[in-house]
Amino acid sequence: RAADRPRRLAPGGGASSAFDVAILSGGDAARVEMDPFPHVVGADTVGGGRCLELTRAFPAFPGVEGAPGHKKFLRRSVELLADDQLPDVWRRAILDDLGPAAWLEWIRLFGRAARREYPELERRGPLERWRVGQRRRDDPAGRDVLLDAQLGIHAAAASAGVERGPHVKGPNKLFEGQWFLRAEDDDAAGAELVLFAPRPGARVAFGARNQVDPASVEPVRTYPYRRSLLVAFLNTPRSIVQVASRGPSARPLQFLGFLAEMADPLFPL
């Protein structure tokens, strides 16, 4: 169908993290769209100011010059926070997105859907009381969940293409979100985020990089690659997504990714 219109979600008072400001502060389960899987979308929640400041201060990605077009690169929070050159606006935003308060925002929004999807999830205790750590820094054995706030790009390209086909995220990820930080001079067409559902009667099989046969799924929701738009979702075997084909551009696709990761997989592939 045509691109869905994102909801305008007002930020909560006093929100300081990029995650809060983008979408979740004050959120509740009533905002969750269930089709084709639990997700929520927000747009223009900060009047462009905070998002534009972060976009203009988007850190460099050393070593990507000459990389294949559309290839994805990530700078995870543990690496970013160790970088003395990281702009202060980004250091504050990332730190705010890694602690217990950020986890409670995830639970406020997706707790009901997560409990329904994974009935055994709270065998270690109520989600609100889980021990929260930072991914790739803290030992998973001493934490119930690890959070990350990572910057990502899809490399600039001379021709149209995709980073990969329809896929699910790693099965040990409980929640994931992407906040688009499109550069002001990025004029490339495409790069919408597409949410899929299995075609009636089709068998969905997972292959390399958790991809599925495009013929086995059909698009249900399409959200534009637009600065300040964020899509967050509960990760399930049905949470099939793809960044659509992006046209030629001298600028990379840019985003801030949020995720909550478990020590063990939540579902088989």
Side-chain angles (χ1 to χ4, degrees), residues 44-79:
D44 301 327
T45 55
V46 293
R50 179 77 185 281
C51 185
L52 185 57
E53 180 184 16
L54 289 166
T55 301
R56 289 175 173 172
F58 198 88
F61 273 65
V64 304
E65 296 79 6
H70 308 292
K71 180 177 175 62
K72 182 165 71 175
F73 294 88
L74 297 172
R75 294 191 67 188
R76 297 174 176 87
S77 59
V78 69
E79 173 198 345

Side-chain angles (χ1 to χ4, degrees), residues 224-236:
Y225 173 50
R226 188 174 69 210
R227 187 173 61 250
S228 86
L229 187 143
L230 185 144
V231 181
F233 58 90
L234 175 68
N235 194 35
T236 76

Side-chain angles (χ1 to χ4, degrees), residues 139-175:
D139 183 355
R143 300 289 191 273
D144 297 309
V145 65
L146 299 177
L147 304 185
D148 208 349
Q150 55 190 13
L151 293 176
I153 65 169
H154 293 185
S159 59
V162 297
E163 185 268 329
R164 61 174 150 168
H167 63 279
V168 296
K169 302 301 180 181
N172 62 334
K173 294 176 181 177
L174 179 59
F175 305 124

Side-chain angles (χ1 to χ4, degrees), residues 121-142:
L121 197 59
E122 292 185 299
R123 64 185 182 279
R124 66 188 69 196
L127 296 176
E128 291 82 0
R129 298 181 185 176
W130 276 16
R131 298 164 298 170
V132 179
Q134 182 183 350
R135 184 174 177 242
R136 297 183 180 249
R137 185 199 68 178
D138 295 324
D139 183 355

Side-chain angles (χ1 to χ4, degrees), residues 174-192:
L174 179 59
F175 305 124
E176 180 136 348
Q178 289 189 355
W179 194 25
F180 296 141
L181 299 170
R182 183 172 188 148
E184 294 170 276
D185 58 349
D186 180 357
D187 59 357
E192 300 88 355

